[in-house]
Amino acid sequence: MPGVMWLGRLALDGIEGGEMAFCAMCGTEIGDANFCPNCGAKRGTAAPSDAPRGNYPSAGIEENVASLLCYAFWWVSGLIFLLIDERPLVKFHGAQSIAFNVAVAAAWICFWIVTVLLSFVTALLHLPIGILTFLFLPIFGVVVFGTWILLMYKGYQGEKFKLPILGDLVEGMINRGGPRAG
């Protein structure tokens, strides 16, 4: 395909032989030479080891942005980054996102069970106290939302911010491949 570059080679129109070689290190045209005249790299040499490696799907995303995105779409984005990303910080934030959302769901269910039971019991006793538990719903929502924003902020800052109980559990799972035994 004329005019398209791939793997250090460029197909050219109107030149017999059709292709010219370029250095993989600096991009200089090297023709038929075995070494680059500009940087001295051997033909076919790979990029330097400090260059970003693209061996996982999220390689083009900065680590801090990927850590933030782990929390962006609740447990779904956490699961995606946990499965596809190889960077330890991103895997930690992905796993912590899943654990945080599971804990929020469990707390939400417990909150509603307690609220309903308290409402029924106090209604049977002709006490109007049970309905007051519904006032805690906005407080619960604000706490969850604030924690969610804090986790995204800390992820974007590149910090390994651990939630009190869940953070240690997640870290143990990530580092040892399973939950901590003690």
Side-chain angles (χ1 to χ4, degrees):
M1 295 171 65
V4 178
M5 183 186 294
W6 68 94
L7 297 175
R9 310 282 285 173
L10 178 66
L12 299 174
D13 289 329
I15 295 180
E16 234 169 273
E19 296 184 3
M20 296 186 73
F22 291 86
C23 177
M25 301 293 276
C26 67
T28 304
E29 181 183 327
I30 60 174
D32 291 335
N34 287 331
F35 293 94
C36 175
N38 186 33
C39 69
K42 187 176 179 184
R43 182 182 208 149
T45 304
S49 61
D50 61 342
R53 300 268 183 213
N55 54 354
Y56 45 90
S58 62
I61 301 174
E62 296 287 329
E63 189 173 40
N64 64 333
V65 175
S67 296
L68 172 128
L69 289 175
C70 287
Y71 300 102
F73 299 106
W74 297 95
W75 64 270
V76 176
S77 57
L79 179 64
I80 290 169
F81 279 99
L82 179 65
L83 294 175
I84 68 170
D85 207 304
E86 296 177 0
R87 296 172 285 192
L89 183 65
V90 178
K91 286 181 89 64
F92 170 79
H93 282 291
Q96 184 166 265
S97 171
I98 295 167
F100 172 68
N101 286 286
V102 167
V104 166
W108 183 263
I109 291 168
C110 289
F111 173 79
W112 278 108
I113 290 171
V114 167
T115 300
V116 168
L117 288 177
L118 244 151
S119 296
F120 282 137
V121 168
T122 57
L124 289 174
L125 298 173
H126 299 292
L127 298 171
I129 314 170
I131 200 73
L132 296 176
T133 57
F134 285 103
L135 297 176
F136 290 115
L137 181 62
I139 295 169
F140 179 76
V142 167
V143 168
V144 168
F145 183 73
T147 306
W148 181 55
I149 295 296
L150 175 69
L151 289 170
M152 286 195 291
Y153 175 75
K154 293 293 188 176
Y156 186 72
Q157 294 298 318
E159 295 180 33
K160 190 175 186 177
F161 178 76
K162 297 190 300 185
L163 291 170
I165 296 168
L166 298 176
D168 291 330
L169 178 69
V170 164
E171 190 173 49
M173 290 172 69
I174 295 294
N175 291 340
R176 292 183 180 83
R180 268 198 240 210

